[in-house]
Amino acid sequence: MAKSKISYFCQNCGYESAKWLGKCPSCNQWNTFVEELVVKEPNKLPDWRSGTDALKKANKAAVIHEIAYREELRIKSPDKELNRVLGGGIVAGSLVLIGGEPGIGKSTLMLQLALNMPGVKTLYISGEESEQQLKMRAERLSQFSQANCYILTETSTTHIFKQLELVEPNLVIIDSIQTLHSAHIDSTPGSVSQVRECTAELLRYAKETDTPVFIIGHITKDGAIAGPKVLEHMVDTVLQFEGDRHHMYRILRAIKNRFGSSSELGIYEMHQTGLREVSNPSEILLSQRESPLSGITIAAMLEGIRPMLIEVQALVSNSAYGTPQRSSTGFDTKRMNMLLAVLEKRFGFRLSTQDVFLNIAGGLRVEDPAIDLAVIVAIISSQQDIAVPTHIAFAGEVGLSGEIRAINRVEQRIAEAEKLGFEQIYLSKYNRKGITTTQYTIEIKWITKVEEVFEALFG
């Protein structure tokens, strides 16, 4: 008979305890333990296959240089942004987890992938929508007369694996893992035990059949993927779908990737007919202005390993109240306060009695310190009401003494600015090693301190 016991699991990290605890010893969160009934079956066969063919011989140890190596087989999807983030395509037998805010477009992205791969038999398994709802959304997204896509609305893993044996798909999409439940665990769908067990069953299926599986996962209010932390360790790739629901742009970011770089990201634009790839985000993120305006600069930044040019907007005005306001959108407010302190202490700009507002155009959230130089130039441009020429780009980190520090991947930033037709770019002199100005048509201004920029731009 199957043995059952009561265990307590942390809903935040998945830590298991034999008794209830007020504080989790693993993640130090309070009141996160819930009671679950765990049923353990001895000698359980894999759920996705039954019979004697499911029994496998135990693996034997092998010398590493005797292991036969072959290049991983990748399925090229028509979505170039997704291919880039995954490291060149979908790897056979991989398990990919996609998380994101509700309504951000996770299901739309996966359904588009299923509909736009006519040469690949795809099984889209949904536990959240009916077949009619999926058909309505598919008609809105694209013409799918050539799509080789099967739809299954089911939450039981036992029934799902029976259909997988019948259909034998080349690609499986699960929407979402929190809706599935396994008969071997006596707890509600979405609980720590169910999420872990269902993911383990899908992992065995993916590895033993070489079928790639995409799993959509919910996230908590803190932005972490819901369920045990071990869920992210079990899968091969973890993707985060980010963006503001009130803006058009979405970012698909790789947090973990066993088959490629975890620094890649893809950019999409949300339309009424679905998500559209943005192959050159710099052209979209830069506004087309007929005349120069004060408080606007262009920064050469990196998102992961992808260079982009973004527009930094600043507004400095006299404070109407006793305490000046400090507000930033898309940029760390604490870092902006640090840069304002540098401007006031080192260069004498009186900003303590003025309101300062900063905005990164396009709704992006930027953490690259190389946009520091563009930020302070935009702030001084707005305060002095002197426009910065539109053909100049900036890239440099500003230190507390006002020096311009070196940044990484400077060649990619220069090439991106040159490709978009910029005539000048201001860079740290400490990045000069190994770069010859003759190899670029753009003029490179090498600087060491912030005052050199002010003298050149504001006289």
Side-chain angles (χ1 to χ4, degrees):
M1 288 182 60
K3 296 181 180 179
S4 62
K5 69 171 184 175
I6 294 177
S7 294
Y8 296 86
F9 292 92
C10 173
Q11 291 181 304
N12 187 55
C13 67
Y15 182 84
E16 182 179 359
S17 174
K19 61 180 181 179
W20 187 87
L21 300 174
K23 181 180 180 182
C24 177
S26 177
C27 62
N28 296 322
Q29 296 294 316
W30 289 90
N31 298 324
T32 57
F33 277 88
V34 292
E35 176 184 326
E36 292 184 12
L37 182 64
V38 181
V39 179
K40 294 187 176 181
E41 294 190 4
N43 301 324
K44 183 180 64 175
L45 294 177
D47 296 324
W48 64 273
R49 186 179 295 173
S50 59
T52 56
D53 58 339
L55 297 176
K56 297 178 64 178
K57 295 181 179 179
N59 293 329
K60 298 180 180 179
V63 183
I64 187 168
H65 64 262
E66 295 179 354
I67 298 175
Y69 171 76
R70 61 182 177 86
E71 286 288 333
E72 64 268 11
L73 301 176
R74 292 183 183 263
I75 302 173
K76 294 290 184 179
S77 75
D79 191 337
K80 296 180 181 177
E81 296 295 300
L82 180 62
N83 289 338
R84 174 190 288 111
V85 175
L86 292 176
I90 304 171
V91 178
S94 62
L95 191 62
V96 181
L97 176 63
I98 299 179
E101 292 280 347
I104 203 69
K106 305 183 297 295
S107 300
T108 301
L109 178 66
M110 289 293 97
L111 188 57
Q112 280 188 192
L113 176 66
L115 296 176
N116 295 327
M117 300 181 68
V120 178
K121 185 189 292 186
T122 307
L123 179 59
Y124 188 99
I125 303 169
S126 177
E128 300 178 344
E129 298 177 274
S130 65
E131 295 178 352
Q132 289 75 19
Q133 287 177 306
L134 290 168
K135 178 69 179 293
M136 289 172 56
R137 193 146 55 89
E139 289 179 344
R140 178 173 55 87
L141 292 178
S142 65
Q143 299 293 329
F144 52 87
S145 57
Q146 303 295 325
N148 192 7
C149 177
Y150 292 75
I151 300 295
L152 175 64
T153 55
E154 183 59 66
T155 57
S156 172
T157 56
T158 304
H159 298 155
I160 287 173
F161 288 122
K162 288 181 181 178
Q163 289 297 315
L164 288 173
E165 288 185 348
L166 292 175
V167 177
E168 295 184 350
N170 305 117
L171 177 65
V172 179
I173 298 173
I174 307 292
D175 184 13
S176 63
I177 189 64
Q178 277 78 15
T179 62
L180 301 189
H181 67 89
S182 173
H184 300 283
I185 300 293
D186 190 10
S187 59
T188 58
S191 63
V192 173
S193 302
Q194 285 286 4
V195 170
R196 184 168 52 190
E197 178 64 23
C198 293
T199 305
E201 294 175 8
L202 291 169
L203 179 63
R204 289 195 294 268
Y205 168 78
K207 298 306 178 185
E208 295 186 22
T209 62
D210 275 346
T211 304
V213 178
F214 282 82
I215 298 175
I216 296 176
H218 299 167
I219 66 170
T220 63
K221 62 181 180 180
D222 299 326
I225 296 177
K229 193 67 177 177
V230 71
L231 178 63
E232 298 180 35
H233 294 282
M234 293 169 66
V235 300
D236 297 310
T237 305
V238 179
L239 305 180
Q240 191 80 14
F241 208 37
E242 305 171 354
D244 191 341
R245 295 177 61 185
H246 304 291
H247 287 82
M248 293 187 299
Y249 303 111
R250 306 286 190 268
I251 294 178
L252 184 65
R253 192 188 306 273
I255 300 176
K256 168 191 174 183
N257 192 358
R258 289 175 177 163
F259 308 110
S261 172
S262 60
S263 300
E264 283 286 5
L265 82 160
I267 299 180
Y268 296 87
E269 189 176 5
M270 178 63 82
H271 289 274
Q272 187 175 359
T273 56
L275 292 163
R276 185 181 68 85
E277 305 168 42
V278 178
S279 57
N280 192 355
S282 298
E283 292 183 346
I284 296 178
L285 296 175
L286 299 180
S287 63
Q288 305 298 323
R289 304 187 304 273
E290 295 182 358
S291 59
L293 299 173
S294 63
I296 296 179
T297 56
I298 307 300
M301 59 162 284
L302 283 178
E303 270 288 349
I305 59 175
R306 187 174 188 176
M308 286 192 294
L309 295 185
I310 60 170
E311 187 175 287
V312 179
Q313 302 173 345
L315 177 63
V316 180
S317 61
N318 292 326
S319 179
Y321 306 98
T323 304
Q325 299 184 63
R326 300 284 188 264
S327 176
S328 64
T329 304
F331 189 74
D332 187 10
T333 305
K334 293 182 179 180
R335 190 165 187 86
M336 184 186 72
N337 291 333
M338 183 197 75
L339 296 175
L340 293 175
V342 172
L343 288 174
E344 186 148 355
K345 176 72 174 179
R346 301 294 182 186
F347 308 108
F349 290 101
R350 299 304 173 190
L351 299 169
S352 57
T353 59
Q354 294 182 304
D355 296 335
V356 180
F357 303 94
L358 188 68
N359 178 48
I360 305 298
L364 292 179
R365 176 78 186 172
V366 182
E367 298 179 355
D368 187 2
I371 75 165
D372 287 353
L373 183 58
V375 168
I376 64 171
V377 172
I379 291 172
I380 300 306
S381 171
S382 178
Q383 191 209 35
Q384 302 293 324
D385 200 17
I386 300 175
V388 177
T390 57
H391 62 269
I392 299 178
F394 303 89
E397 180 183 355
V398 178
L400 291 180
S401 62
E403 80 278 11
I404 307 298
R405 301 175 62 85
I407 55 177
N408 61 340
R409 299 184 183 273
V410 66
E411 296 91 349
Q412 290 180 263
R413 303 175 197 261
I414 298 174
E416 183 72 10
E418 184 182 45
K419 183 176 69 174
L420 292 174
F422 283 80
E423 299 175 8
Q424 288 183 355
I425 183 169
Y426 283 79
L427 297 169
S428 171
K429 191 176 182 180
Y430 304 109
N431 280 118
R432 193 168 188 172
K433 184 178 180 181
I435 297 178
T436 57
T437 55
T438 56
Q439 67 186 105
Y440 300 104
T441 57
I442 187 173
E443 182 183 0
I444 302 175
K445 296 283 190 178
W446 301 108
I447 53 176
T448 56
K449 292 192 176 182
V450 174
E451 54 257 44
E452 298 176 23
V453 185
F454 293 160
E455 292 176 2
L457 297 177
F458 308 120

